[in-house]
Amino acid sequence: MNRSLRIFAAACLAAAATGLAPWAPAHAQQKVLKFIPQADLRILDPIATTAYITRNHGYMVYDTLFAMDEKFQVKPQMLDNYEMSKDQLTYTFTLRDGLKFHDGAAVKAADCIASIDRWSKRDALGQKLAEATASWTAVNDKTFTLKLKKPFPLALEALAKPSSNVPFIMPERIAKTDPFKNIEDPTGSGPFKMVKAEWVPGNKVVYVKNTDYVPRKEPVSWASGGKVVKVDRVEWIYIPDSATAAAALNAGEADWWEQMPPDLIPLLAKNKDITVKNIDPLGSMGMIRFNFLHPPFNNPKMRQALLYAVNQQDYVIGIAGDPKNGKPCYSYYTCGTPLASEISAEPLKGARNLEKAKQLIKESGYKGEKIVIIDATDQPIVHAQSLLTLDMLKRLGLNAEVQAGDWGTLITRRAVKEPVEKGGWSIFHTWLVGPDMVNPAVNFPIRGTGEKAWFGWPTDSKIEELREAWFNASDAASSKKAASAVQQRAFEFVPFIPTGQFILPTAFRSNISGVIIAPIAFLWNIEKK
Amino acid sequence: MLAYVIRRLFATIAVMAVVAFFVFSLLYLTPGDPAAVIAGDAATSDDIKRIRANLGLDEPFLVRFGGWVWALLQGDLGVSIFTNLPVTHLIGQRVEPTLALTLCTLLVSVLVAVPLGVLAAARAGSWSDRAVMAFSVLGFSLPVFVFAYILITVFSIELRWLPVQGYRNFAENSFWDWLRHLILPSIALGTVYIALIARITRASMLDVLAQDYIRTAQAKGLAPAPVLVGHALKNAAIPIMTIIGIGIALLISGAIVTETVFAIPGIGRLTVDAILRRDYPVIQGVTLLFSAIYVVINLLVDLSYMLFDPRIRF
């Protein structure tokens, strides 16, 4: 090898070793926010699934007509203004100037109508709005109207729904897709663009700043206000192992870990460069769900009996590890929200009364039927609740057992309507984020529509009537009263038992600022030094 | 030999057809429903039913199997139920990290284990032999994930020498950046294979070192190194090659834990994720890939015997 060739080879090796090679990533000098999300993004369609990770992806790439702020007030987001007619039957919406989709096309009224139409075929509140709707009409490219058959006081709240399914606005060509089929094209008009070519499912999702996005002028508050993006690029790095995720944050390989298991809090709290914080003001609610089709929980007395035995404090510690990360919530609505109250909650709160529970079990005529709790050991929140419920049932002298599997098995098995002897179930546990339980409209486990209801299939016409009355409430006071009536009935009928309110804290490095206090980890407004 | 290779390759097709049928049947019988996973926690039974229909999951076994085989014959492994991306694309994304991890681990394992095994055999009964065997027992006993966490704590968090997790594409990053992401995973994954190969090398070498021709070579006055490497190791190579071949196959499956701990987006993680979600096309695709790799590796190992033992002919 001659001398110049040797020098060239040495230079190439040096460049390669130091990362200065011409093939080094072009984004090396950009401000990149490295974020460890709560789960792996697999489905890009926030309408076809209620998965929270897909909802969060939706907030990255899409925008909404309205958004809810931290005071639960509905604020226009993509809209410049809106009007309601005096008879409350017609709403006129006008889009803001400068709204563009990621492909450069302007956002038009037709896009909004098609998107709301698709959403209202999947979302429970959307379906309710659709029932009350006479027509959606595009007046021109920027203006459209909603005509109702009858006043629907929750129309704007529905369009500002913060959690799954969120009425995100997509281009009409995409929104025309069958709502039961996943969309593949993530084109939206939101503050970030997804770089689909860099998407590695199970590992990485890449978003870049949407430089065409025009933020609102108002200060940010939950999903409302100015969504100002202060980084060039966001990388969602999915790390399935929580110890590795903690190590990555500790070593500075990630900037922010969305949700951490409580047992790792002490480890990260020791690092002065890391802030461990509860940024979710609503937290999540755990629950025990019954099968209403078969004994013993087709008998209300059996369900009422468990109200006297459930100790929410135990469940909160079991789920959140530390009482600081949760609290009992004796309400069918998320505690800390306007409709939450402890009306009729006496059986669930205070000192636990196992004798009363046993008396109710006796009155129910329980004949020792086997109670099967289906458990998902890969979901710590479900698993902890399952074990606590098993212990409680055993203490009550019931014939209970846990049948463990993974989450994939649980969600399949809970759809089985057969008795336990034929592969059915008696109890399963899950949890919902706070925004999904704030009122009777979004709180789907409370419903009693039988075959059409959520798994467990309770039938209760009374709760449905009371829920309908709540929809017709015209002001805050009557809404609260109607919601309380629903709760009162829920404590009699017991569609499920709330097991407490808990928060999974977030952790971020000190070079990050602007984290928004909200029930969802929003990535706008974040600054990285 | 060519006829043998062709025969073995035809046998591969038969093996893969059997694997394909069994995998499809097992998945059909396994509890779990991707439609329920897609629909999310809030979905109703009706929602799930409709998604199942859209995905064709409500069709009879033979219709689904026939459709899959027909597509397979045309080189189409299908599309992931969740991501809507072709299975070949998903596998393509994951091949490089797993291949890189497997090759690095194999390289580390062979470079460390064979000399250790030879050393232990040459000094059988000495303290160095005992040390190698003690290390071997430790390597077998220490779970990969425990050793991985120890490595991360020491080299990534305390010393900050190497990254905790992730993989860097070889083509788009510097060589060092690529390599440094593989050092800890390769060591963690390689320990058990070092232990395995070292033990087999030692045992095989001890057997060969007791042979008459070794004594003859020593009597002729050959230096210890040529005797060990030129005469003994070459003749002890067949069991070592067999175990290395099996090791490659085991490495690919063993990589699942390593890939999870070090968040390496490899085939192992793809498989586990697909199983947890019941992403049938992906599970079927990677299973076929695994079976093809196993069969090809076995063939290569068989062919390699000819290099070490001229008496073997196919």
Side-chain angles (χ1 to χ4, degrees):
Chain A
M1 197 188 281
N2 65 38
R3 190 168 174 268
S4 55
L5 203 60
R6 278 205 303 270
I7 291 170
F8 176 74
C12 283
L13 278 173
T18 54
L20 297 175
W23 56 86
H27 52 79
Q29 302 306 315
Q30 294 181 331
K31 271 193 179 174
V32 182
L33 177 69
K34 298 200 173 191
F35 178 79
I36 305 171
Q38 53 172 281
D40 175 32
L41 178 72
R42 289 270 156 178
I43 302 169
L44 298 183
D45 189 344
I47 304 303
T49 183
T50 55
Y52 294 137
I53 188 70
T54 302
R55 174 202 64 190
N56 295 358
H57 157 77
Y59 272 113
M60 298 290 282
V61 297
Y62 302 110
D63 213 346
T64 50
L65 296 177
F66 290 93
M68 200 165 276
D69 73 3
E70 62 194 20
K71 291 175 182 152
F72 301 95
Q73 299 295 308
V74 173
K75 300 284 179 190
Q77 185 57 31
M78 292 174 78
L79 298 176
D80 185 37
N81 59 66
Y82 67 98
E83 284 170 16
M84 183 175 66
S85 63
K86 279 184 183 165
D87 60 4
Q88 297 182 24
L89 290 176
T90 306
Y91 290 84
T92 305
F93 305 106
T94 306
L95 291 167
R96 285 197 282 141
D97 286 329
L99 298 181
K100 271 187 196 172
F101 286 113
H102 301 156
D103 58 7
V107 179
K108 293 180 180 172
D111 301 308
C112 303
I113 293 172
S115 299
I116 297 301
D117 181 53
R118 185 167 188 263
W119 164 76
S120 64
K121 285 177 179 147
R122 288 302 303 266
D123 183 72
L125 189 52
Q127 286 163 7
K128 206 73 196 157
L129 174 63
E131 278 173 29
T133 298
S135 66
W136 285 91
T137 312
V139 177
N140 55 45
D141 278 354
K142 282 184 64 182
T143 309
F144 54 104
T145 59
L146 163 64
K147 286 209 165 86
L148 298 172
K149 295 176 205 162
K150 57 177 183 177
F152 186 68
L154 290 173
L156 299 187
E157 275 193 39
L159 296 174
K161 191 170 177 256
S163 192
S164 301
N165 302 92
V166 180
F168 292 118
I169 302 302
M170 304 170 178
E172 186 185 14
R173 63 183 166 83
I174 299 171
K176 289 277 184 197
T177 310
D178 176 352
F180 288 86
K181 206 174 161 196
N182 288 350
I183 58 165
E184 297 168 34
D185 182 347
T187 301
S189 65
F192 293 94
K193 294 181 189 179
M194 181 187 179
V195 186
K196 204 175 167 191
E198 290 191 50
W199 180 32
V200 182
N203 178 236
K204 192 165 80 169
V205 192
V206 175
Y207 302 92
V208 292
K209 178 180 179 173
N210 175 11
T211 48
D212 287 337
Y213 186 76
V214 184
R216 294 188 72 88
K217 301 278 183 262
E218 298 91 333
V220 69
S221 173
W222 285 19
S224 73
K227 297 177 179 178
V228 180
V229 175
K230 297 176 179 172
V231 292
D232 302 301
R233 180 180 162 98
V234 173
E235 290 181 4
W236 284 14
I237 308 161
Y238 175 59
I239 302 179
D241 184 80
S242 49
T244 308
L249 192 70
N250 245 331
E253 289 175 30
D255 302 309
W256 184 358
W257 187 8
E258 185 184 2
Q259 265 181 9
M260 52 184 299
D263 54 321
L264 289 171
I265 295 172
L267 176 77
L268 291 179
K270 274 194 284 185
N271 188 334
K272 63 179 174 42
D273 291 329
I274 292 174
T275 305
V276 178
K277 202 171 175 182
N278 292 336
I279 62 161
D280 179 356
L282 302 184
S284 298
M285 299 271 284
M287 70 172 72
I288 302 171
R289 178 68 165 186
F290 305 104
N291 189 335
F292 291 74
L293 300 184
H294 302 287
F297 294 112
N298 57 351
N299 187 326
K301 289 218 165 163
M302 278 297 287
R303 306 193 298 270
Q304 287 161 3
L306 298 200
L307 283 176
Y308 288 93
V310 165
N311 185 346
Q312 286 200 350
Q313 199 68 52
D314 290 347
Y315 282 83
V316 166
I317 292 171
I319 295 168
D322 188 326
K324 280 186 288 186
N325 296 322
K327 61 180 182 187
C329 174
Y330 306 115
S331 173
Y332 274 91
Y333 308 114
T334 309
C335 289
T337 62
L339 299 183
S341 72
E342 293 189 359
I343 286 170
S344 306
E346 290 73 22
L348 188 58
K349 60 188 264 198
R352 302 294 68 213
N353 190 344
L354 292 191
E355 289 314 309
K356 173 76 176 171
K358 283 178 181 170
Q359 183 199 329
L360 283 166
I361 290 168
K362 202 174 167 190
E363 286 172 20
S364 77
Y366 175 67
K367 297 189 195 85
E369 295 96 340
K370 193 201 269 185
I371 295 169
V372 170
I373 302 168
I374 47 173
D375 182 15
T377 52
D378 58 337
Q379 297 288 329
I381 297 170
V382 173
H383 187 50
Q385 292 186 92
S386 300
L387 297 181
L388 285 163
T389 300
L390 177 70
D391 177 60
M392 176 185 71
L393 297 182
K394 295 251 183 212
R395 280 189 285 126
L396 291 172
L398 300 175
N399 175 18
E401 68 175 45
V402 161
Q403 293 186 0
D406 64 354
W407 180 244
T409 305
L410 187 151
I411 60 175
T412 305
R413 190 163 170 196
R414 72 182 180 182
V416 175
K417 291 181 178 172
E418 300 289 328
V420 292
E421 297 78 27
K422 293 183 179 172
W425 56 276
S426 315
I427 283 175
F428 76 85
H429 300 82
T430 188
W431 76 101
L432 291 176
V433 294
D436 284 347
M437 289 181 72
V438 291
N439 61 43
V442 294
N443 189 335
F444 56 87
I446 213 168
R447 299 202 62 184
T449 48
E451 291 286 306
K452 288 188 175 174
W454 194 50
F455 306 97
W457 311 281
T459 304
D460 186 29
S461 54
K462 197 168 174 193
I463 214 164
E464 285 300 302
E465 279 167 28
L466 292 166
R467 184 174 175 268
E468 199 59 38
W470 177 80
F471 274 108
N472 295 324
S474 54
D475 57 62
S478 55
S479 167
K480 175 101 181 168
K481 198 175 163 194
S484 298
V486 173
Q487 172 159 308
Q488 200 168 356
R489 175 61 188 163
F491 273 113
E492 288 164 20
F493 180 70
V494 200
F496 65 93
I497 298 180
T499 55
Q501 189 174 21
F502 59 92
I503 294 164
L504 296 176
T506 198
F508 49 88
R509 294 191 64 86
S510 53
N511 58 338
I512 296 296
S513 60
V515 173
I516 301 168
I517 305 294
I520 295 159
F522 297 120
L523 298 187
W524 47 84
N525 203 48
I526 305 297
E527 217 160 341
K528 182 176 174 180
K529 286 172 201 150
Chain B
M1 189 184 83
L2 187 65
Y4 173 78
V5 173
I6 291 170
R7 227 173 31 245
R8 285 286 297 265
L9 287 176
F10 272 112
T12 303
I13 295 168
V15 168
M16 287 178 69
V18 172
V19 168
F21 178 76
F22 274 102
V23 169
F24 200 94
S25 309
L26 281 175
L27 287 177
Y28 191 79
L29 297 171
T30 305
D33 183 359
V37 184
I38 288 173
D41 205 14
T44 63
S45 303
D46 284 348
D47 292 340
I48 294 171
K49 221 178 271 176
R50 211 160 149 189
I51 294 169
R52 282 180 66 80
N54 259 339
L55 295 170
L57 296 172
D58 54 350
E59 286 173 348
F61 173 82
L62 283 177
V63 174
R64 282 172 56 192
F65 184 64
W68 180 63
V69 170
W70 180 245
L72 196 62
L73 290 174
Q74 296 167 71
D76 178 8
L77 287 176
V79 172
S80 160
I81 290 173
F82 291 86
T83 60
N84 281 339
L85 295 171
V87 174
T88 44
H89 174 81
L90 291 172
I91 291 176
Q93 282 181 329
R94 305 303 190 97
V95 164
E96 188 194 309
T98 300
L99 203 63
L101 176 61
T102 307
L103 290 178
C104 278
T105 306
L106 196 66
L107 198 70
V108 169
S109 304
V110 172
L111 288 181
V112 174
V114 173
L116 279 182
V118 171
L119 176 77
R123 297 184 182 175
S126 70
W127 67 267
S128 49
D129 178 28
R130 290 202 180 95
V132 170
M133 287 305 99
F135 167 78
S136 182
V137 171
L138 187 70
F140 275 127
S141 319
L142 195 63
V144 172
F145 69 93
V146 173
F147 189 44
Y149 290 138
I150 293 169
L151 290 173
I152 288 173
T153 306
V154 175
F155 294 101
S156 303
I157 296 179
E158 296 300 327
L159 298 171
R160 305 262 169 152
W161 288 354
L162 293 164
V164 172
Q165 52 81 40
Y167 175 76
R168 293 289 179 275
N169 190 300
F170 184 75
E172 292 171 4
N173 296 277
S174 68
F175 175 73
W176 171 237
D177 202 20
W178 171 79
L179 185 65
R180 70 196 197 98
H181 281 85
L182 289 169
I183 294 174
L184 294 186
S186 299
I187 295 172
L189 180 59
T191 310
V192 68
Y193 299 101
I194 292 172
L196 179 70
I197 297 169
R199 278 191 86 94
I200 296 294
T201 305
R202 177 183 179 274
S204 185
M205 284 289 287
L206 282 176
D207 191 35
V208 171
L209 286 172
Q211 299 291 319
D212 289 344
Y213 62 85
I214 296 293
R215 207 172 302 121
T216 307
Q218 287 167 337
K220 276 165 66 183
L222 276 178
V227 172
L228 278 176
V229 179
H231 293 262
L233 185 58
K234 197 173 174 189
N235 285 294
I238 286 186
I240 299 171
M241 281 308 294
T242 307
I243 209 71
I244 290 173
I246 295 169
I248 296 171
L250 289 174
L251 272 177
I252 293 169
S253 49
I256 291 172
V257 175
T258 315
E259 285 175 3
T260 302
V261 173
F262 290 98
I264 294 171
I267 296 277
R269 282 252 325 267
L270 179 69
T271 313
V272 173
D273 290 347
I275 290 169
L276 289 174
R277 291 184 174 80
R278 313 295 192 265
D279 197 344
Y280 297 141
V282 177
I283 302 172
Q284 287 151 3
V286 291
T287 312
L288 278 183
L289 178 74
F290 279 140
S291 48
I293 291 172
Y294 277 40
V295 172
V296 169
I297 287 171
N298 273 320
L299 176 62
L300 292 176
V301 169
D302 286 353
L303 294 177
S304 74
Y305 292 165
M306 289 191 297
L307 293 175
F308 298 102
D309 191 343
R311 291 167 302 178
I312 297 175
R313 281 288 172 267
F314 296 110

